[in-house]
Amino acid sequence: MVLQVQTSAYEAKTQEIAKQLLAATQENRSFFSSLRDQMRWDDKLLAWAMSNPGLRVQLFRFIDTLPALHSKSEIASHLQEYLGDESVELPAALKGMLNFANPDSMPGQVAATTVGTAVETLAHKYISGENIKQVIKTVERLRKEKMAFTIDLLGEAVITEAEAQSYLERYLELMQQLVEASKNWSAIPAIDEADGESIAKVQVSVKLTAFYSQFDPLDAKGSEERVSDRIRILLRRAKELGAAVHFDMEQYAYKDITLSILKKLLLEEEFRQRTDIGMTIQAYLRDSEQDTKDLISWLKQRGYPLTIRLVKGAYWDQETIKAAQKHWPQPVYNEKATTDANFETITQLLLENHQYVYSAIGSHNVRSHSRAIAIAESLNVPRRRFELQVLYGMGDKVAKALVDKGYRVRVYCPYGELLPGMAYLIRRLLENTANSSFLRQNLENRPIEELLAPPIVKEQNNSLTPNSSLLTPNSSLLTPNSSLLTPHSHFSGAADTDYAQEEMTRKSAQAFQSVRQQLGKTYLPLINGEYLNTPEFVDSLNPSNFSEVVGKIGLISVEQAEQAMQAAKAAFPGWKKTPAKERADILRKAGDLMEERRAELSAWMVLEVGKPVKEADGEVSEAIDFCRYYADEMERLDQGVNYDISGENNRYIYQPRGIVVVISPWNFPLAIACGMTVAALVSGNCTLLKPAETSSVITAKLTEILIEAGIPKGVFQYVSGKGSQVGAYLVNHPDTHVIAFTGSQEVGCRIYAEAAILKPGQKHMKRVIAEMGGKNAIIVDESADLDQAVVGVVQSAFGYSGQKCSAASRVIVLQPIYDTFVQRLVEATKSLNIGEAELPSTQVGPVIDANARDRIREYIEKGKAEAEVALELPAPEQGYFIGPVIFSEVSPNAVVAQEEIFGPVLAVIRVKDFQEALTVANGTNYALTGGLYSRTPSHIQQAQTEFEVGNLYINRNITGAIVGRQPFGGFKLSGVGSKAGGPDYLLQFLEPRAVTENIQRQGFAPIEGAD
């Protein structure tokens, strides 16, 4: 059902004002008819982007890469790589320009100069200046045109504390210089005063997250403290200078904490009476109307008005993709018309409450502005309490028409170096060239009635389910190609906890309280459905605080291991006959139970193995995914394959192998233990799970869940014990069919060798599935986005203190950017919070135990003898902590560049070119994960074919593989077997059989389709 937004009392007035404004802004000729040869190249590029979606994507990708290209040859070769792509249909002029054989040739240099200059010209259209001098010139021109301004500082992402401090200092400097310049400006009544009240001539717009490099909603308290300290300094200085400050809104994840911080701060005695401060609401967010109502209520309580800037929102693609990837509800409206309608609703809400709020309506849509004016005039809103805003370079004609009609207009002016400002430029270009953009539609001379029509809203729920289809112009970004869909394509992963929601952080805190009351309990092994007492016990300690016992673990004897093996043998015939659907449903039930106990399971992991909260939560998702994915997979495999021909039936079917011994690691104590175990179980095998001693409490919790889900006795057994005794006994047992192992290369190779020996009474060959770690490298080439690369390397190397099999322990950086990269990497790592895993601010927690700590320290000493120490951070004493260490100028053959360290130690290797980078990356015994940060298409292509790793990640971090999306596992000495979470993993636990039946009887056979 389609509803037209109700034609309200304001509609006639809206139409009247809009038609007047439109008449003043429209040109007499069509935009496209003006595409003549004499057009400037920047105009041509925009026009081509509008008319050719394939070119638009590649052109904007090229523009994104431009900041990293330092010579005309590099620009020319990237131009060819991006725009010479087969998917791009080039206009004749562009095709001719790109027709050069060599980037160093004269035509190549000409092409580079032409396009480079065109992009720079484009940037100048939307960026108000590269330095304060240019900005002052721009704002003085705007003031002559009777327009006010607000200045926004562009630049690199803030990923270090040094950059956060610099952000504050640059704003203090900006305000100082603008105010100094403003002393020479003559007063302009239209923008400097209203209703007898003076308005600050200087206004700056700031982003809250840029005041603290580790800003995180999970650490709401810590983020608030660090950000508020810097904001107070800014606001105090602004008051001294007489400048106004406006707070921008950024990504959805930061919205609630941003509003919360500002509300608290602006109720403080020092700031409560200030009215020269503003906040922002984004109308494309589904909860923006409620947020506006809450802000208005808060302003009533505050007693002094503030500005609320209403905008549509600038991160639609990003928000949509992030929600789809994380299986979260969509925070933004799918349809632009819905956003437009919501914008009008909130405009009305703000203006109807003008006694409490100053409204700043930011748009380039003539209808949106006209609606605001119609409401403001109907309600006689005082001039001081209402203004219209546009972005610099976006709505120039609209702004002029509004000024001519006597309204206060403020222009949002970003300033900064052109190249770091490219991300901003691309957002503006996307907006300008989108099919649904008002500016584009106006340029195309669409009928006035169409341009000014009220937005039509398709009725929909106020929030999407996480898996709703995205019916949007850009949905091709999110929908896989149907021809690539695999048989299990209906599988949808579990959603991680969204800690941006206050309720979720509260839930997490409650789980820790509950779990802490259970510390120190005894956990016994489960053998044949009974918890048995054991001759020996070991304490599992909290690595963040080794005086704290998480649980006492009963370690089984070899005799008890034999008892478990016999119980498994007895249970196997019944389990083998259990229908696959029944087995699969038990797994699904286990997944549901884990979802119910998510916060509690996370807390156990944080306390037992020192994994920070977010990482522990992600691991619960992975365990749930393994249950659900392998359940689906087993049902698929259970159908078998028919190879029938006339007169003969041929069935290809699978049967379980027998008894599986799972030996799981401590570093993914829930996900890997669960994944290997449920794969074996759903395939019809009886399974003995022997976890690492240091993570046995978590395995006991997994055991509780599997029993509650309905696994029969003897089918699954939890056999905690010493690896050297019980582990070795089970590996060598003649009744063991499959050994699934994750751990060190040394132990994995020993298991592989022992499993190959035929034991007395053994009537089968054992299958070994072993994942044995890696020496994972990330290559950063000269075209990389360094903001992205530094953040990704820091996460990959120091997340969970470098104790993931997939963690980065080498970074291979090309010569031209090596020094810059190392400098930013060191500063970003210095900014990390090191501490107890339980603290929400912690990014780097402890290592697992004293042995690991001492072994890592030995490697650090070896590193000091063969490389330069770029950074060695101190660490707390009370737990098994090691501060991150970065070695620079490391030889590719150095010990720290060849051996797996399994700790927060990173080797940075310098190489001269991309080919050498690949050679160095491939120059170890491992092949597990690898990464590449590059915006050079040929490098990306080459890495895909030549980088020897099981999992290659391009332009993202290299940890956090997701079931059914990035099946995980490596080759060479990283392991043997198929990838976990992939379509052939279960085959390792199954024996395939072919059954052929001759169905002819006395020369006749059933023929399909015959009467």
Side-chain angles (χ1 to χ4, degrees):
M1 177 184 171
V2 171
L3 296 173
Q4 185 134 4
V5 173
Q6 188 186 355
T7 305
S8 66
Y10 302 123
E11 185 57 31
K13 195 161 192 168
T14 300
Q15 290 289 332
E16 181 193 337
I17 296 165
K19 281 171 184 167
Q20 292 168 8
L21 287 174
L22 208 53
T25 64
Q26 279 197 325
E27 292 185 350
N28 296 326
R29 60 198 181 118
S30 153
F31 176 72
F32 288 116
S33 70
S34 70
L35 296 182
R36 302 273 186 272
D37 289 338
Q38 67 266 32
M39 274 182 72
R40 292 188 330 201
W41 269 93
D42 54 303
D43 288 331
K44 285 182 181 177
L45 289 177
L46 261 188
W48 289 331
M50 286 190 203
S51 57
N52 183 332
L55 175 58
R56 179 175 181 246
V57 169
Q58 291 299 91
L59 179 62
F60 291 176
R61 283 180 171 173
F62 166 75
I63 291 172
D64 174 56
T65 312
L66 204 52
L69 308 178
H70 299 296
S71 72
K72 287 181 182 174
S73 299
E74 283 180 40
I75 294 173
S77 68
H78 281 77
L79 252 180
Q80 255 184 352
E81 285 196 40
Y82 277 103
L83 303 187
D85 189 272
E86 287 173 7
S87 66
V88 181
E89 201 179 311
L90 289 180
L94 204 47
K95 194 180 281 184
M97 191 177 72
L98 293 178
N99 191 21
F100 50 84
N102 185 332
D104 292 319
S105 66
M106 183 57 78
Q109 304 286 296
V110 169
T113 306
T114 306
V115 175
T117 306
V119 173
E120 204 167 301
T121 308
L122 265 179
H124 277 297
K125 281 185 175 177
Y126 303 110
I127 296 172
S128 64
E130 292 188 71
N131 52 49
I132 292 181
K133 198 172 171 185
Q134 288 178 11
V135 170
I136 289 172
K137 203 170 168 184
T138 298
V139 301
E140 286 175 348
R141 177 173 55 76
L142 288 173
R143 285 180 59 81
K144 278 182 187 148
E145 293 169 12
K146 297 185 182 171
M147 294 181 202
F149 64 86
T150 185
I151 307 288
D152 165 45
L153 191 54
L154 295 174
E156 295 166 324
V158 170
I159 56 178
T160 74
E161 275 307 275
E163 288 164 357
Q165 183 59 31
S166 164
Y167 183 80
L168 171 63
E169 287 165 5
R170 286 167 70 199
Y171 263 108
L172 296 175
E173 166 83 357
L174 173 65
M175 290 193 302
Q176 169 82 40
Q177 296 212 21
L178 284 169
V179 168
E180 201 55 48
S182 74
K183 291 173 182 171
N184 301 319
W185 298 342
S186 51
I188 297 167
I191 53 176
D192 294 336
E193 59 187 64
D195 309 326
E197 196 182 322
S198 66
I199 300 170
K201 289 178 182 174
V202 171
Q203 187 189 102
V204 294
S205 286
V206 300
K207 291 172 176 55
L208 209 68
T209 60
F211 290 106
Y212 177 40
S213 64
Q214 310 304 311
F215 193 92
D216 184 355
L218 174 60
D219 180 28
K221 189 167 177 288
S223 297
E224 182 185 327
E225 284 169 8
R226 300 295 289 272
V227 163
S228 298
D229 286 346
R230 286 180 170 139
I231 292 173
R232 288 187 190 99
I233 293 168
L234 182 80
L235 292 180
R236 284 171 193 143
R237 184 63 181 138
K239 186 178 184 183
E240 288 167 15
L241 293 167
V245 176
H246 196 96
F247 292 95
D248 281 332
M249 193 57 80
E250 303 170 78
Q251 288 84 350
Y252 182 69
Y254 303 132
K255 172 181 69 73
D256 287 348
I257 185 175
T258 295
L259 291 173
S260 167
I261 289 171
L262 291 175
K263 282 178 180 176
K264 276 190 200 170
L265 191 82
L266 297 175
L267 281 182
E268 289 175 11
E269 203 52 49
E270 182 181 359
F271 304 112
R272 183 167 189 155
Q273 294 181 29
R274 295 275 289 273
T275 59
D276 56 351
I277 297 168
M279 301 189 216
T280 305
I281 290 283
Q282 297 159 311
Y284 69 179
L285 294 180
R286 294 170 185 273
D287 43 15
S288 53
E289 184 183 351
Q290 188 56 51
D291 287 337
T292 307
K293 287 176 178 171
D294 294 344
L295 269 179
I296 290 167
S297 300
W298 171 79
L299 283 166
K300 288 177 182 175
Q301 170 205 339
R302 183 175 184 264
Y304 297 90
L306 291 169
T307 298
I308 294 180
R309 175 194 290 152
L310 177 63
V311 297
K312 304 241 166 117
Y315 304 95
W316 187 90
D317 293 77
Q318 199 178 329
E319 299 289 10
T320 309
I321 290 167
K322 182 180 179 181
Q325 286 182 348
K326 290 194 165 284
H327 308 290
W328 288 346
Q330 285 293 336
V332 292
Y333 289 114
N334 282 7
E335 303 289 337
K336 185 173 182 302
T338 319
T339 296
D340 288 342
N342 191 45
F343 190 92
E344 294 189 6
T345 301
I346 297 173
T347 299
Q348 186 168 333
L349 192 57
L350 291 172
L351 291 168
E352 283 173 351
N353 286 278
H354 59 80
Q355 62 271 50
Y356 311 109
V357 60
Y358 300 151
S359 303
I361 309 301
S363 176
H364 308 112
N365 185 321
V366 167
R367 179 183 165 86
S368 299
H369 281 309
S370 304
R371 184 64 161 200
I373 294 166
I375 298 167
E377 288 186 351
S378 301
L379 298 175
N380 291 319
V381 175
R383 278 188 65 247
R384 171 66 187 95
R385 293 173 177 262
F386 166 62
E387 72 179 31
L388 301 161
Q389 297 195 351
V390 296
L391 289 172
Y392 182 78
M394 289 282 281
D396 299 355
K397 288 176 183 166
V398 176
K400 187 176 183 317
L402 290 168
V403 168
D404 291 346
K405 288 200 161 294
Y407 301 108
R408 185 167 72 255
V409 173
R410 188 175 303 278
V411 182
Y412 185 96
C413 299
Y415 107 91
E417 290 177 42
L418 291 189
L419 295 181
M422 282 300 159
Y424 174 82
L425 171 63
I426 286 168
R427 283 207 302 277
R428 297 291 73 80
L429 294 177
L430 282 169
E431 193 175 332
N432 255 350
T433 58
N435 288 328
S436 53
S437 152
F438 179 89
L439 290 171
R440 172 174 180 167
Q441 290 175 356
N442 192 13
L443 286 171
E444 291 172 343
N445 281 355
R446 298 272 179 95
I448 285 178
E449 297 70 27
E450 187 184 325
L451 283 173
L452 302 182
I456 294 175
V457 179
K458 288 174 185 164
E459 200 169 317
Q460 57 189 58
N461 295 333
N462 196 42
S463 76
L464 283 179
T465 59
N467 302 318
S468 300
S469 60
L470 301 165
L471 304 176
T472 66
N474 299 349
S475 63
S476 59
L477 292 168
L478 305 158
T479 313
N481 184 319
S482 59
S483 65
L484 302 177
L485 294 182
T486 47
H488 51 268
S489 61
H490 62 282
F491 167 77
S492 179
D496 291 348
T497 300
D498 181 1
Y499 290 108
Q501 296 178 27
E502 202 179 330
E503 177 199 344
M504 293 304 171
T505 52
R506 200 164 46 244
K507 216 175 188 178
S508 174
Q510 286 164 354
F512 275 107
Q513 277 183 327
S514 163
V515 164
R516 281 204 161 280
Q517 288 164 6
Q518 301 170 56
L519 294 184
K521 283 188 176 179
T522 299
Y523 296 90
L524 297 174
L526 180 81
I527 295 177
N528 202 18
E530 305 285 330
Y531 286 107
L532 297 189
N533 221 327
T534 57
E536 203 178 338
F537 290 85
V538 67
D539 287 345
S540 180
L541 307 177
N542 176 355
S544 292
N545 177 6
F546 42 66
S547 63
E548 189 168 64
V549 176
V550 177
K552 293 182 178 299
I553 309 300
L555 301 178
I556 67 169
S557 63
V558 166
E559 291 73 25
Q560 287 174 316
E562 180 58 32
Q563 197 181 335
M565 185 60 79
Q566 294 310 317
K569 276 177 76 175
F572 178 60
W575 186 240
K576 179 182 179 180
K577 287 176 189 163
T578 303
K581 171 81 170 71
E582 201 174 309
R583 298 195 303 253
D585 283 343
I586 292 173
L587 260 65
R588 292 188 181 103
K589 170 77 170 160
D592 293 346
L593 290 169
M594 285 182 208
E595 190 61 80
E596 286 169 25
R597 293 177 62 174
R598 174 186 281 277
E600 175 215 341
L601 291 169
S602 294
W604 280 113
M605 272 186 276
V606 171
L607 294 174
E608 191 179 25
V609 299
K611 187 168 278 199
V613 178
K614 267 189 194 167
E615 306 228 19
D617 178 75
E619 184 168 342
V620 179
S621 295
E622 188 178 1
I624 294 166
D625 286 351
F626 277 133
C627 291
R628 293 171 180 170
Y629 179 83
Y630 290 147
D632 289 355
E633 279 294 288
M634 191 59 231
E635 288 180 351
R636 175 176 72 86
L637 291 171
D638 188 53
Q639 293 166 19
V641 184
N642 284 351
Y643 293 116
D644 299 346
I645 59 167
S646 297
E648 184 175 275
N649 284 353
N650 291 286
R651 297 278 293 133
Y652 188 81
I653 56 174
Y654 297 98
Q655 67 181 32
R657 285 179 175 269
I659 292 167
V660 177
V661 172
V662 172
I663 300 172
S664 65
W666 51 262
N667 67 328
F668 282 87
L670 180 65
I672 293 181
C674 175
M676 295 193 293
T677 300
V678 299
L681 290 171
V682 80
S683 310
N685 303 283
C686 288
T687 307
L688 285 72
L689 169 57
K690 194 216 83 65
E693 288 101 301
T694 43
S695 60
S696 294
V697 172
I698 294 154
T699 321
K701 298 296 164 189
L702 172 62
T703 300
E704 292 170 11
I705 286 167
L706 291 174
I707 290 168
E708 190 181 340
I711 293 279
K713 73 175 192 174
V715 169
F716 165 76
Q717 298 173 90
Y718 159 52
V719 288
S720 45
K722 286 188 175 165
S724 55
Q725 294 169 8
V726 170
Y729 180 77
L730 293 172
V731 164
N732 284 286
H733 201 287
D735 290 322
T736 296
H737 290 78
V738 180
I739 300 136
F741 167 80
T742 299
S744 71
Q745 183 192 313
E746 180 194 354
V747 176
C749 290
R750 188 162 67 241
I751 288 171
Y752 201 70
E754 289 173 356
I757 300 167
L758 202 62
K759 301 293 188 299
Q762 186 179 321
K763 297 174 183 174
H764 56 269
M765 296 303 292
K766 292 176 184 173
R767 165 68 63 91
V768 175
I769 306 158
E771 198 268 272
M772 303 186 297
K775 189 66 188 169
N776 311 308
I778 295 176
I779 296 173
V780 183
D781 79 6
E782 63 270 66
S783 71
D785 177 335
L786 287 193
D787 287 351
Q788 195 183 47
V790 170
V791 170
V793 168
V794 168
Q795 285 173 350
S796 303
F798 304 121
Y800 192 33
S801 304
Q803 298 177 111
K804 300 178 185 180
C805 351
S806 54
S809 54
R810 298 182 294 154
V811 195
I812 300 162
V813 187
L814 268 68
Q815 166 70 35
I817 53 158
Y818 185 90
D819 295 333
T820 308
F821 176 81
V822 170
Q823 185 188 346
R824 287 198 81 198
L825 175 69
V826 164
E827 285 300 324
T829 307
K830 269 188 198 170
S831 305
L832 296 173
N833 298 316
I834 304 165
E836 293 178 36
E838 189 179 349
L839 299 173
S841 59
T842 294
Q843 283 120 349
V844 181
V847 296
I848 189 65
D849 59 18
N851 288 342
R853 179 194 60 199
D854 297 344
R855 191 191 71 252
I856 295 163
R857 282 177 177 168
E858 284 173 22
Y859 271 111
I860 292 168
E861 290 312 306
K862 286 177 187 171
K864 286 176 178 175
E866 56 187 9
E868 292 178 17
V869 178
L871 178 69
E872 183 173 16
L873 286 179
E877 289 296 318
Q878 80 283 10
Y880 303 119
F881 288 97
I882 289 190
V885 175
I886 298 172
F887 290 111
S888 62
E889 306 300 349
V890 181
S891 156
N893 299 316
V895 170
V896 290
Q898 285 291 320
E899 295 181 18
E900 187 176 41
I901 299 170
F902 230 62
V905 179
L906 183 63
V908 192
I909 301 166
R910 187 194 295 260
V911 291
K912 65 180 183 300
D913 57 33
F914 191 67
Q915 189 54 56
E916 187 188 352
L918 279 173
T919 303
V920 170
N922 293 336
T924 73
N925 295 333
Y926 297 97
L928 188 53
T929 62
L932 168 64
Y933 282 91
S934 172
R935 289 178 289 191
T936 302
S938 57
H939 286 179
I940 292 171
Q941 185 62 47
Q942 191 179 352
Q944 287 173 359
T945 54
E946 295 179 24
F947 202 151
E948 293 173 1
V949 287
N951 286 63
L952 175 62
Y953 298 93
I954 298 164
N955 292 324
R956 53 151 285 176
N957 61 326
I958 67 169
T959 59
I962 293 174
V963 175
R965 198 186 292 176
Q966 295 121 4
F968 185 77
F971 50 96
K972 286 166 69 173
L973 286 182
S974 283
V976 58
S978 290
K979 287 173 164 294
D984 40 13
Y985 189 72
L986 292 190
L987 298 178
Q988 303 169 115
F989 299 91
L990 296 163
E991 297 279 12
R993 296 177 62 213
V995 178
T996 297
E997 181 188 0
N998 170 17
I999 55 171
Q1000 292 185 78
R1001 292 285 189 277
Q1002 306 300 330
F1004 75 91
I1007 298 172
E1008 211 169 302
D1011 291 330

